Amino acid sequence: MSEEGKVRAVHVAPGEGQSVWAFSGDRYTLKAGTKDTHGGLGVMEAEIPPGSGPPLHLHQNEDEMFYLLEGTLEITDYDRTFIAEKGSFLLLPRGSIHCFKNISDEPARMLMLFTPSGFEEFFMEIGQEVVPGEPAPPPEQFAAHVENAMRIAAEKYGIAQM
């Protein structure tokens, strides 16, 4: 609530929100988190470069949803694999074993939602702040970054790598 006791809308204009580089040159931008939604929902915009995506894992604490804005992702859900294209929605209930990979030649863009909120804080913690005009970190550091990120995800955020 504001000082006047009024509940105010959260507005994040296009291109705004705290952004970080993580994993294999992925860019994650926070749109709404725990403090904005009283713990109900986390919302991020993600840009996933060609060939990038997390290892097979599961969330123990939250449901995860994607809405694909651009690009093509290969989704693995337990033992089945399918293709998600622009306009696809995906619900990954907590406990579902999954991963995704950008299989196109262009970056994939998606909205990521977490309920309850909290997992969006993981990206802010492990990511490197995006500085406008500067490129993503070099690919040589990707493997070490993914290994460290998955360790933090397991220790603090209830993520199990499969």
Side-chain angles (χ1 to χ4, degrees):
M1 272 201 240
S2 69
E3 294 176 342
E4 303 87 31
K6 297 177 184 171
V7 177
R8 298 285 182 180
V10 174
H11 173 249
V12 182
E16 291 187 3
Q18 181 182 359
S19 290
V20 295
W21 299 112
F23 299 113
S24 302
D26 303 7
R27 181 178 176 152
Y28 295 94
T29 303
L30 182 63
K31 297 298 184 177
T34 299
K35 69 180 176 88
D36 303 310
T37 67
H38 306 286
L41 180 68
V43 181
M44 304 191 81
E45 181 177 352
E47 186 172 302
I48 312 299
S52 187
L56 200 59
H57 66 282
L58 67 83
H59 296 249
Q60 297 177 35
N61 301 326
E62 61 278 318
D63 298 327
E64 182 177 29
M65 291 148 274
F66 303 145
Y67 182 79
L68 196 55
L69 301 167
E70 296 175 5
T72 306
L73 297 177
E74 180 181 80
I75 310 289
T76 299
D77 172 46
Y78 285 96
D79 58 354
R80 73 178 174 134
T81 300
F82 57 93
I83 304 300
E85 298 174 319
K86 179 181 176 177
S88 293
F89 174 77
L90 184 64
L91 168 63
L92 300 159
R94 67 195 80 186
S96 66
I97 298 172
H98 64 278
C99 67
F100 65 83
K101 183 177 182 179
N102 179 353
I103 59 170
S104 70
D105 294 333
E106 299 293 326
R109 283 185 47 247
M110 63 183 169
L111 286 180
M112 300 174 69
L113 302 101
F114 307 101
T115 183
S117 66
F119 190 64
E120 69 282 357
E121 295 169 11
F122 162 74
F123 296 94
M124 298 298 106
E125 178 178 345
I126 60 111
Q128 178 180 328
E129 183 179 355
V130 170
V131 176
E134 291 187 14
E140 315 59 86
Q141 63 185 69
F142 291 165
H145 188 268
V146 170
E147 182 178 323
N148 182 56
M150 294 310 291
R151 181 187 53 76
I152 292 169
E155 291 173 1
K156 292 180 69 175
Y157 295 94
I159 304 299
Q161 187 172 347
M162 308 316 289

